[in-house]
Amino acid sequence: MSLGYLVGTAEITAALGVIATLGYLAYQISQTNRIAKSTVASDLMQKYNEFLAVVLANSEISKLASKLTDFGVCARARRRSR
């Protein structure tokens, strides 16, 4: 075995290591993005549930929310019928 052969083998091994590392890093980034999206969706649902709890706890706010929701439905129906 010559020195050139050993250097070439070391360079190929190093290149394969870099490729494997980049593949693993891409996988980790993908998983991190999934976790972040899931966390945001969960937080959004929690805030919405808290909002609904406040609305349902107060009858006046519930009536107002109902009117606003009904108005939104009616406005969309009017836009569709044009």
Short mmCIF file of all heavy atoms in Angstrom, two decimals, residues 10-80:
data_model
loop_
_atom_site.label_atom_id
_atom_site.label_comp_id
_atom_site.label_asym_id
_atom_site.label_seq_id
_atom_site.Cartn_x
_atom_site.Cartn_y
_atom_site.Cartn_z
N ALA A 10 -8.78 7.65 2.62
CA ALA A 10 -9.18 8.55 3.71
C ALA A 10 -10.09 9.65 3.19
O ALA A 10 -11.08 10.01 3.85
CB ALA A 10 -7.95 9.14 4.37
N GLU A 11 -9.80 10.18 2.02
CA GLU A 11 -10.63 11.24 1.46
C GLU A 11 -12.03 10.71 1.10
O GLU A 11 -13.03 11.39 1.34
CB GLU A 11 -9.97 11.84 0.21
CG GLU A 11 -8.80 12.74 0.55
CD GLU A 11 -8.15 13.33 -0.70
OE1 GLU A 11 -8.56 12.99 -1.83
OE2 GLU A 11 -7.22 14.14 -0.53
N ILE A 12 -12.10 9.52 0.54
CA ILE A 12 -13.39 8.92 0.20
C ILE A 12 -14.20 8.65 1.47
O ILE A 12 -15.40 8.93 1.54
CB ILE A 12 -13.20 7.63 -0.63
CG1 ILE A 12 -12.68 7.99 -2.02
CG2 ILE A 12 -14.50 6.84 -0.72
CD1 ILE A 12 -12.29 6.80 -2.86
N THR A 13 -13.54 8.13 2.49
CA THR A 13 -14.21 7.87 3.76
C THR A 13 -14.72 9.18 4.38
O THR A 13 -15.85 9.24 4.89
CB THR A 13 -13.25 7.16 4.73
OG1 THR A 13 -12.76 5.97 4.12
CG2 THR A 13 -13.93 6.82 6.04
N ALA A 14 -13.92 10.22 4.32
CA ALA A 14 -14.33 11.52 4.86
C ALA A 14 -15.51 12.07 4.08
O ALA A 14 -16.46 12.62 4.67
CB ALA A 14 -13.16 12.49 4.83
N ALA A 15 -15.49 11.93 2.76
CA ALA A 15 -16.59 12.43 1.94
C ALA A 15 -17.88 11.68 2.26
O ALA A 15 -18.95 12.29 2.36
CB ALA A 15 -16.25 12.29 0.46
N LEU A 16 -17.80 10.37 2.44
CA LEU A 16 -18.98 9.59 2.80
C LEU A 16 -19.50 10.02 4.18
O LEU A 16 -20.72 10.07 4.40
CB LEU A 16 -18.67 8.10 2.78
CG LEU A 16 -18.41 7.50 1.39
CD1 LEU A 16 -17.99 6.04 1.51
CD2 LEU A 16 -19.66 7.62 0.52
N GLY A 17 -18.60 10.32 5.08
CA GLY A 17 -19.00 10.79 6.41
C GLY A 17 -19.73 12.12 6.35
O GLY A 17 -20.74 12.34 7.03
N VAL A 18 -19.23 13.02 5.49
CA VAL A 18 -19.88 14.33 5.32
C VAL A 18 -21.27 14.14 4.72
O VAL A 18 -22.24 14.77 5.16
CB VAL A 18 -19.02 15.26 4.44
CG1 VAL A 18 -19.79 16.50 4.03
CG2 VAL A 18 -17.75 15.65 5.19
N ILE A 19 -21.40 13.28 3.72
CA ILE A 19 -22.70 13.03 3.09
C ILE A 19 -23.69 12.44 4.10
O ILE A 19 -24.85 12.85 4.17
CB ILE A 19 -22.53 12.13 1.85
CG1 ILE A 19 -21.80 12.89 0.75
CG2 ILE A 19 -23.88 11.62 1.36
CD1 ILE A 19 -21.38 12.04 -0.42
N ALA A 20 -23.22 11.48 4.89
CA ALA A 20 -24.08 10.88 5.90
C ALA A 20 -24.51 11.92 6.94
O ALA A 20 -25.69 11.96 7.36
CB ALA A 20 -23.38 9.72 6.58
N THR A 21 -23.59 12.79 7.34
CA THR A 21 -23.90 13.83 8.31
C THR A 21 -24.93 14.80 7.75
O THR A 21 -25.87 15.20 8.46
CB THR A 21 -22.62 14.59 8.71
OG1 THR A 21 -21.69 13.66 9.26
CG2 THR A 21 -22.90 15.67 9.73
N LEU A 22 -24.79 15.19 6.49
CA LEU A 22 -25.75 16.10 5.88
C LEU A 22 -27.13 15.46 5.77
O LEU A 22 -28.16 16.13 5.97
CB LEU A 22 -25.25 16.55 4.51
CG LEU A 22 -24.06 17.50 4.52
CD1 LEU A 22 -23.59 17.78 3.10
CD2 LEU A 22 -24.39 18.79 5.24
N GLY A 23 -27.17 14.18 5.45
CA GLY A 23 -28.45 13.48 5.40
C GLY A 23 -29.13 13.45 6.75
O GLY A 23 -30.34 13.68 6.86
N TYR A 24 -28.37 13.16 7.79
CA TYR A 24 -28.92 13.12 9.14
C TYR A 24 -29.38 14.51 9.58
O TYR A 24 -30.43 14.66 10.22
CB TYR A 24 -27.88 12.58 10.12
CG TYR A 24 -28.38 12.47 11.53
CD1 TYR A 24 -29.39 11.58 11.87
CD2 TYR A 24 -27.86 13.29 12.54
CE1 TYR A 24 -29.86 11.49 13.16
CE2 TYR A 24 -28.33 13.20 13.84
CZ TYR A 24 -29.33 12.30 14.14
OH TYR A 24 -29.80 12.22 15.43
N LEU A 25 -28.62 15.54 9.23
CA LEU A 25 -29.00 16.91 9.57
C LEU A 25 -30.30 17.29 8.88
O LEU A 25 -31.18 17.92 9.49
CB LEU A 25 -27.88 17.87 9.17
CG LEU A 25 -28.11 19.35 9.46
CD1 LEU A 25 -28.28 19.58 10.95
CD2 LEU A 25 -26.96 20.18 8.92
N ALA A 26 -30.46 16.90 7.62
CA ALA A 26 -31.71 17.19 6.90
C ALA A 26 -32.89 16.49 7.59
O ALA A 26 -33.98 17.06 7.72
CB ALA A 26 -31.60 16.73 5.45
N TYR A 27 -32.68 15.26 8.04
CA TYR A 27 -33.73 14.53 8.75
C TYR A 27 -34.09 15.24 10.05
O TYR A 27 -35.27 15.40 10.38
CB TYR A 27 -33.27 13.10 9.03
CG TYR A 27 -34.22 12.31 9.89
CD1 TYR A 27 -35.40 11.81 9.36
CD2 TYR A 27 -33.95 12.08 11.23
CE1 TYR A 27 -36.29 11.10 10.14
CE2 TYR A 27 -34.82 11.37 12.02
CZ TYR A 27 -35.98 10.88 11.48
OH TYR A 27 -36.87 10.18 12.26
N GLN A 28 -33.09 15.70 10.79
CA GLN A 28 -33.34 16.40 12.05
C GLN A 28 -34.11 17.70 11.83
O GLN A 28 -35.03 18.03 12.58
CB GLN A 28 -32.03 16.71 12.77
CG GLN A 28 -31.41 15.52 13.45
CD GLN A 28 -30.16 15.91 14.22
OE1 GLN A 28 -29.38 16.74 13.77
NE2 GLN A 28 -29.98 15.30 15.38
N ILE A 29 -33.75 18.43 10.79
CA ILE A 29 -34.44 19.68 10.49
C ILE A 29 -35.90 19.40 10.13
O ILE A 29 -36.81 20.11 10.57
CB ILE A 29 -33.72 20.44 9.37
CG1 ILE A 29 -32.39 20.99 9.89
CG2 ILE A 29 -34.58 21.58 8.82
CD1 ILE A 29 -31.51 21.58 8.82
N SER A 30 -36.12 18.35 9.37
CA SER A 30 -37.49 17.97 9.00
C SER A 30 -38.32 17.64 10.23
O SER A 30 -39.47 18.08 10.37
CB SER A 30 -37.45 16.77 8.05
OG SER A 30 -38.73 16.26 7.83
N GLN A 31 -37.75 16.88 11.15
CA GLN A 31 -38.46 16.52 12.37
C GLN A 31 -38.72 17.75 13.24
O GLN A 31 -39.79 17.88 13.84
CB GLN A 31 -37.67 15.47 13.16
CG GLN A 31 -37.58 14.14 12.47
CD GLN A 31 -38.95 13.54 12.22
OE1 GLN A 31 -39.80 13.50 13.10
NE2 GLN A 31 -39.19 13.09 10.99
N THR A 32 -37.75 18.65 13.31
CA THR A 32 -37.92 19.87 14.10
C THR A 32 -39.04 20.72 13.53
O THR A 32 -39.85 21.28 14.28
CB THR A 32 -36.60 20.67 14.12
OG1 THR A 32 -35.58 19.85 14.69
CG2 THR A 32 -36.73 21.94 14.93
N ASN A 33 -39.12 20.81 12.21
CA ASN A 33 -40.21 21.58 11.59
C ASN A 33 -41.56 20.95 11.88
O ASN A 33 -42.54 21.66 12.15
CB ASN A 33 -39.99 21.69 10.08
CG ASN A 33 -38.89 22.66 9.74
OD1 ASN A 33 -38.53 23.52 10.53
ND2 ASN A 33 -38.34 22.52 8.54
N ARG A 34 -41.65 19.64 11.84
CA ARG A 34 -42.91 18.96 12.17
C ARG A 34 -43.32 19.24 13.59
O ARG A 34 -44.49 19.51 13.89
CB ARG A 34 -42.78 17.46 11.98
CG ARG A 34 -42.90 17.01 10.58
CD ARG A 34 -42.91 15.50 10.52
NE ARG A 34 -43.03 15.04 9.15
CZ ARG A 34 -43.13 13.80 8.80
NH1 ARG A 34 -43.11 12.85 9.72
NH2 ARG A 34 -43.23 13.46 7.54
N ILE A 35 -42.37 19.16 14.51
CA ILE A 35 -42.67 19.42 15.92
C ILE A 35 -43.11 20.86 16.11
O ILE A 35 -44.06 21.14 16.85
CB ILE A 35 -41.44 19.08 16.79
CG1 ILE A 35 -41.19 17.57 16.79
CG2 ILE A 35 -41.61 19.61 18.20
CD1 ILE A 35 -39.87 17.16 17.40
N ALA A 36 -42.44 21.80 15.45
CA ALA A 36 -42.81 23.22 15.57
C ALA A 36 -44.22 23.46 15.05
O ALA A 36 -45.01 24.18 15.69
CB ALA A 36 -41.80 24.08 14.83
N LYS A 37 -44.56 22.89 13.91
CA LYS A 37 -45.91 23.06 13.36
C LYS A 37 -46.95 22.47 14.29
O LYS A 37 -48.02 23.05 14.51
CB LYS A 37 -46.01 22.40 11.99
CG LYS A 37 -45.29 23.16 10.90
CD LYS A 37 -45.40 22.42 9.58
CE LYS A 37 -44.61 23.11 8.49
NZ LYS A 37 -44.69 22.38 7.20
N SER A 38 -46.65 21.31 14.85
CA SER A 38 -47.58 20.67 15.77
C SER A 38 -47.77 21.51 17.03
O SER A 38 -48.89 21.65 17.53
CB SER A 38 -47.07 19.28 16.13
OG SER A 38 -47.88 18.68 17.08
N THR A 39 -46.70 22.07 17.53
CA THR A 39 -46.76 22.90 18.73
C THR A 39 -47.59 24.16 18.48
O THR A 39 -48.41 24.55 19.31
CB THR A 39 -45.34 23.28 19.19
OG1 THR A 39 -44.61 22.09 19.45
CG2 THR A 39 -45.37 24.14 20.44
N VAL A 40 -47.39 24.77 17.33
CA VAL A 40 -48.16 25.98 16.99
C VAL A 40 -49.64 25.63 16.88
O VAL A 40 -50.49 26.36 17.39
CB VAL A 40 -47.63 26.61 15.68
CG1 VAL A 40 -48.59 27.66 15.16
CG2 VAL A 40 -46.26 27.22 15.91
N ALA A 41 -49.96 24.53 16.22
CA ALA A 41 -51.36 24.12 16.08
C ALA A 41 -51.98 23.85 17.44
O ALA A 41 -53.12 24.24 17.72
CB ALA A 41 -51.47 22.90 15.19
N SER A 42 -51.23 23.19 18.31
CA SER A 42 -51.74 22.89 19.65
C SER A 42 -51.96 24.16 20.45
O SER A 42 -53.00 24.31 21.12
CB SER A 42 -50.74 21.98 20.37
OG SER A 42 -51.16 21.74 21.69
N ASP A 43 -51.03 25.10 20.39
CA ASP A 43 -51.17 26.37 21.10
C ASP A 43 -52.36 27.16 20.58
O ASP A 43 -53.11 27.77 21.35
CB ASP A 43 -49.90 27.21 20.98
CG ASP A 43 -48.74 26.65 21.75
OD1 ASP A 43 -48.95 25.74 22.59
OD2 ASP A 43 -47.59 27.09 21.52
N LEU A 44 -52.54 27.14 19.27
CA LEU A 44 -53.67 27.85 18.67
C LEU A 44 -54.99 27.25 19.14
O LEU A 44 -55.93 27.99 19.49
CB LEU A 44 -53.57 27.79 17.15
CG LEU A 44 -54.56 28.62 16.36
CD1 LEU A 44 -54.43 30.09 16.70
CD2 LEU A 44 -54.33 28.39 14.88
N MET A 45 -55.08 25.94 19.18
CA MET A 45 -56.29 25.28 19.66
C MET A 45 -56.55 25.62 21.13
O MET A 45 -57.69 25.85 21.53
CB MET A 45 -56.17 23.76 19.51
CG MET A 45 -56.37 23.31 18.11
SD MET A 45 -58.09 23.29 17.75
CE MET A 45 -58.29 21.60 17.35
N GLN A 46 -55.49 25.64 21.92
CA GLN A 46 -55.64 25.95 23.34
C GLN A 46 -56.16 27.38 23.52
O GLN A 46 -57.07 27.62 24.32
CB GLN A 46 -54.31 25.77 24.07
CG GLN A 46 -54.40 26.04 25.55
CD GLN A 46 -53.07 25.84 26.26
OE1 GLN A 46 -52.09 25.46 25.64
NE2 GLN A 46 -53.04 26.12 27.54
N LYS A 47 -55.61 28.33 22.78
CA LYS A 47 -56.06 29.72 22.89
C LYS A 47 -57.52 29.85 22.43
O LYS A 47 -58.30 30.58 23.03
CB LYS A 47 -55.17 30.65 22.06
CG LYS A 47 -53.77 30.77 22.58
CD LYS A 47 -53.75 31.40 23.95
CE LYS A 47 -52.31 31.53 24.44
NZ LYS A 47 -52.24 31.99 25.81
N TYR A 48 -57.88 29.14 21.37
CA TYR A 48 -59.26 29.18 20.89
C TYR A 48 -60.21 28.60 21.93
O TYR A 48 -61.29 29.14 22.17
CB TYR A 48 -59.38 28.43 19.56
CG TYR A 48 -60.75 28.51 18.95
CD1 TYR A 48 -61.24 29.71 18.45
CD2 TYR A 48 -61.56 27.39 18.89
CE1 TYR A 48 -62.50 29.79 17.90
CE2 TYR A 48 -62.82 27.46 18.33
CZ TYR A 48 -63.29 28.66 17.83
OH TYR A 48 -64.55 28.73 17.30
N ASN A 49 -59.80 27.51 22.57
CA ASN A 49 -60.63 26.91 23.62
C ASN A 49 -60.79 27.85 24.81
O ASN A 49 -61.86 27.95 25.41
CB ASN A 49 -60.06 25.57 24.06
CG ASN A 49 -60.29 24.48 23.04
OD1 ASN A 49 -61.18 24.58 22.21
ND2 ASN A 49 -59.48 23.45 23.10
N GLU A 50 -59.71 28.56 25.16
CA GLU A 50 -59.79 29.54 26.24
C GLU A 50 -60.75 30.67 25.87
O GLU A 50 -61.54 31.13 26.70
CB GLU A 50 -58.41 30.10 26.55
CG GLU A 50 -57.48 29.10 27.21
CD GLU A 50 -56.05 29.62 27.34
OE1 GLU A 50 -55.79 30.80 27.00
OE2 GLU A 50 -55.19 28.83 27.77
N PHE A 51 -60.69 31.11 24.62
CA PHE A 51 -61.60 32.15 24.14
C PHE A 51 -63.05 31.67 24.24
O PHE A 51 -63.93 32.40 24.70
CB PHE A 51 -61.25 32.53 22.70
CG PHE A 51 -62.28 33.38 22.03
CD1 PHE A 51 -62.42 34.72 22.36
CD2 PHE A 51 -63.13 32.85 21.07
CE1 PHE A 51 -63.38 35.52 21.76
CE2 PHE A 51 -64.09 33.63 20.46
CZ PHE A 51 -64.22 34.97 20.81
N LEU A 52 -63.30 30.45 23.78
CA LEU A 52 -64.66 29.91 23.84
C LEU A 52 -65.14 29.78 25.28
O LEU A 52 -66.32 30.02 25.56
CB LEU A 52 -64.73 28.56 23.14
CG LEU A 52 -64.66 28.60 21.62
CD1 LEU A 52 -64.73 27.19 21.06
CD2 LEU A 52 -65.75 29.46 21.04
N ALA A 53 -64.25 29.43 26.20
CA ALA A 53 -64.64 29.32 27.60
C ALA A 53 -65.07 30.68 28.14
O ALA A 53 -66.06 30.78 28.88
CB ALA A 53 -63.48 28.76 28.43
N VAL A 54 -64.36 31.74 27.75
CA VAL A 54 -64.74 33.09 28.18
C VAL A 54 -66.07 33.48 27.57
O VAL A 54 -66.94 34.03 28.26
CB VAL A 54 -63.65 34.11 27.78
CG1 VAL A 54 -64.12 35.54 27.97
CG2 VAL A 54 -62.38 33.87 28.57
N VAL A 55 -66.26 33.17 26.31
CA VAL A 55 -67.52 33.50 25.63
C VAL A 55 -68.68 32.77 26.28
O VAL A 55 -69.74 33.35 26.55
CB VAL A 55 -67.44 33.18 24.12
CG1 VAL A 55 -68.80 33.24 23.46
CG2 VAL A 55 -66.47 34.14 23.43
N LEU A 56 -68.51 31.50 26.54
CA LEU A 56 -69.60 30.71 27.12
C LEU A 56 -69.87 31.06 28.57
O LEU A 56 -70.97 30.84 29.08
CB LEU A 56 -69.30 29.23 26.98
CG LEU A 56 -69.27 28.71 25.54
CD1 LEU A 56 -68.82 27.26 25.52
CD2 LEU A 56 -70.63 28.87 24.89
N ALA A 57 -68.89 31.60 29.27
CA ALA A 57 -69.07 31.96 30.68
C ALA A 57 -69.91 33.21 30.85
O ALA A 57 -70.51 33.42 31.90
CB ALA A 57 -67.72 32.15 31.34
N ASN A 58 -69.97 34.05 29.83
CA ASN A 58 -70.70 35.30 29.94
C ASN A 58 -71.84 35.28 28.92
O ASN A 58 -71.59 35.23 27.71
CB ASN A 58 -69.74 36.47 29.67
CG ASN A 58 -70.37 37.81 29.94
OD1 ASN A 58 -71.57 37.99 29.75
ND2 ASN A 58 -69.55 38.75 30.37
N SER A 59 -73.07 35.38 29.39
CA SER A 59 -74.22 35.27 28.49
C SER A 59 -74.30 36.43 27.50
O SER A 59 -74.70 36.25 26.35
CB SER A 59 -75.51 35.15 29.29
OG SER A 59 -75.73 36.33 30.04
N GLU A 60 -73.91 37.62 27.93
CA GLU A 60 -73.96 38.77 27.02
C GLU A 60 -72.95 38.62 25.89
O GLU A 60 -73.26 38.92 24.73
CB GLU A 60 -73.72 40.07 27.79
CG GLU A 60 -74.85 40.42 28.74
CD GLU A 60 -74.59 41.72 29.48
OE1 GLU A 60 -73.79 42.54 28.98
OE2 GLU A 60 -75.19 41.90 30.55
N ILE A 61 -71.77 38.17 26.22
CA ILE A 61 -70.75 37.95 25.20
C ILE A 61 -71.19 36.81 24.27
O ILE A 61 -70.98 36.87 23.06
CB ILE A 61 -69.38 37.66 25.83
CG1 ILE A 61 -68.87 38.90 26.57
CG2 ILE A 61 -68.37 37.24 24.77
CD1 ILE A 61 -67.57 38.67 27.31
N SER A 62 -71.84 35.80 24.84
CA SER A 62 -72.34 34.69 24.01
C SER A 62 -73.36 35.17 23.00
O SER A 62 -73.33 34.78 21.83
CB SER A 62 -72.97 33.60 24.88
OG SER A 62 -72.02 33.02 25.72
N LYS A 63 -74.28 36.04 23.44
CA LYS A 63 -75.29 36.58 22.52
C LYS A 63 -74.63 37.41 21.43
O LYS A 63 -74.99 37.30 20.25
CB LYS A 63 -76.31 37.41 23.29
CG LYS A 63 -77.21 36.60 24.18
CD LYS A 63 -78.12 37.50 24.99
CE LYS A 63 -78.92 36.69 26.00
NZ LYS A 63 -79.74 37.53 26.88
N LEU A 64 -73.65 38.24 21.81
CA LEU A 64 -72.95 39.06 20.83
C LEU A 64 -72.20 38.19 19.83
O LEU A 64 -72.26 38.43 18.62
CB LEU A 64 -71.99 40.01 21.54
CG LEU A 64 -71.13 40.89 20.64
CD1 LEU A 64 -72.01 41.81 19.80
CD2 LEU A 64 -70.14 41.69 21.47
N ALA A 65 -71.52 37.17 20.33
CA ALA A 65 -70.77 36.27 19.45
C ALA A 65 -71.72 35.54 18.50
O ALA A 65 -71.40 35.35 17.32
CB ALA A 65 -69.97 35.27 20.27
N SER A 66 -72.87 35.17 19.00
CA SER A 66 -73.87 34.50 18.16
C SER A 66 -74.35 35.43 17.06
O SER A 66 -74.47 35.03 15.90
CB SER A 66 -75.04 34.04 19.01
OG SER A 66 -76.05 33.49 18.21
N LYS A 67 -74.62 36.68 17.39
CA LYS A 67 -75.06 37.65 16.39
C LYS A 67 -73.96 37.89 15.34
O LYS A 67 -74.25 37.96 14.15
CB LYS A 67 -75.45 38.97 17.05
CG LYS A 67 -76.74 38.90 17.82
CD LYS A 67 -77.05 40.22 18.48
CE LYS A 67 -78.30 40.12 19.32
NZ LYS A 67 -78.59 41.39 20.00
N LEU A 68 -72.73 38.02 15.81
CA LEU A 68 -71.63 38.24 14.88
C LEU A 68 -71.44 37.05 13.96
O LEU A 68 -71.19 37.21 12.76
CB LEU A 68 -70.33 38.53 15.63
CG LEU A 68 -70.29 39.86 16.38
CD1 LEU A 68 -69.02 39.96 17.22
CD2 LEU A 68 -70.38 41.03 15.41
N THR A 69 -71.56 35.86 14.50
CA THR A 69 -71.42 34.64 13.70
C THR A 69 -72.55 34.54 12.69
O THR A 69 -72.33 34.24 11.52
CB THR A 69 -71.40 33.40 14.60
OG1 THR A 69 -70.34 33.53 15.53
CG2 THR A 69 -71.20 32.14 13.79
N ASP A 70 -73.78 34.82 13.15
CA ASP A 70 -74.93 34.78 12.24
C ASP A 70 -74.78 35.81 11.14
O ASP A 70 -75.08 35.55 9.98
CB ASP A 70 -76.23 35.01 12.99
CG ASP A 70 -76.60 33.84 13.89
OD1 ASP A 70 -76.04 32.75 13.69
OD2 ASP A 70 -77.44 34.03 14.79
N PHE A 71 -74.28 37.00 11.48
CA PHE A 71 -74.07 38.03 10.47
C PHE A 71 -73.05 37.57 9.44
O PHE A 71 -73.25 37.77 8.25
CB PHE A 71 -73.60 39.33 11.13
CG PHE A 71 -73.23 40.38 10.11
CD1 PHE A 71 -74.22 41.08 9.42
CD2 PHE A 71 -71.91 40.66 9.84
CE1 PHE A 71 -73.89 42.03 8.48
CE2 PHE A 71 -71.57 41.61 8.90
CZ PHE A 71 -72.56 42.31 8.22
N GLY A 72 -71.99 36.93 9.91
CA GLY A 72 -70.97 36.43 8.98
C GLY A 72 -71.53 35.40 8.04
O GLY A 72 -71.24 35.41 6.84
N VAL A 73 -72.38 34.53 8.53
CA VAL A 73 -72.99 33.50 7.69
C VAL A 73 -73.92 34.15 6.68
O VAL A 73 -73.91 33.81 5.50
CB VAL A 73 -73.75 32.47 8.57
CG1 VAL A 73 -74.59 31.55 7.71
CG2 VAL A 73 -72.77 31.67 9.40
N CYS A 74 -74.71 35.11 7.14
CA CYS A 74 -75.64 35.79 6.24
C CYS A 74 -74.90 36.59 5.17
O CYS A 74 -75.29 36.61 4.01
CB CYS A 74 -76.57 36.72 7.02
SG CYS A 74 -77.72 35.85 8.10
N ALA A 75 -73.82 37.26 5.56
CA ALA A 75 -73.06 38.05 4.60
C ALA A 75 -72.44 37.16 3.53
O ALA A 75 -72.45 37.50 2.35
CB ALA A 75 -71.98 38.84 5.33
N ARG A 76 -71.93 36.00 3.93
CA ARG A 76 -71.36 35.07 2.95
C ARG A 76 -72.44 34.55 2.01
O ARG A 76 -72.23 34.42 0.81
CB ARG A 76 -70.66 33.92 3.66
CG ARG A 76 -69.28 34.26 4.16
CD ARG A 76 -68.57 33.01 4.61
NE ARG A 76 -69.22 32.41 5.77
CZ ARG A 76 -68.80 32.51 7.02
NH1 ARG A 76 -67.72 33.19 7.28
NH2 ARG A 76 -69.45 31.96 8.00
N ALA A 77 -73.63 34.28 2.55
CA ALA A 77 -74.73 33.79 1.72
C ALA A 77 -75.15 34.84 0.72
O ALA A 77 -75.44 34.54 -0.44
CB ALA A 77 -75.90 33.37 2.61
N ARG A 78 -75.17 36.12 1.15
CA ARG A 78 -75.53 37.19 0.23
C ARG A 78 -74.51 37.33 -0.88
O ARG A 78 -74.85 37.56 -2.04
CB ARG A 78 -75.67 38.51 1.00
CG ARG A 78 -77.06 38.71 1.57
CD ARG A 78 -77.22 40.09 2.16
NE ARG A 78 -77.16 39.90 3.61
CZ ARG A 78 -76.46 40.63 4.45
NH1 ARG A 78 -75.77 41.65 4.03
NH2 ARG A 78 -76.46 40.36 5.72
N ARG A 79 -73.23 37.21 -0.55
CA ARG A 79 -72.17 37.31 -1.56
C ARG A 79 -72.26 36.19 -2.57
O ARG A 79 -72.03 36.40 -3.75
CB ARG A 79 -70.80 37.31 -0.90
CG ARG A 79 -70.41 38.69 -0.38
CD ARG A 79 -68.98 38.67 0.10
NE ARG A 79 -69.07 38.71 1.57
CZ ARG A 79 -68.29 38.09 2.40
NH1 ARG A 79 -67.32 37.35 1.96
NH2 ARG A 79 -68.44 38.18 3.70
N ARG A 80 -72.60 35.01 -2.13
CA ARG A 80 -72.70 33.85 -3.03
C ARG A 80 -73.90 33.98 -3.97
O ARG A 80 -73.88 33.50 -5.09
CB ARG A 80 -72.81 32.56 -2.23
CG ARG A 80 -71.53 32.18 -1.56
CD ARG A 80 -71.68 30.88 -0.85
NE ARG A 80 -70.49 30.60 -0.07
CZ ARG A 80 -70.45 29.84 0.99
NH1 ARG A 80 -71.55 29.27 1.44
NH2 ARG A 80 -69.32 29.64 1.64
#
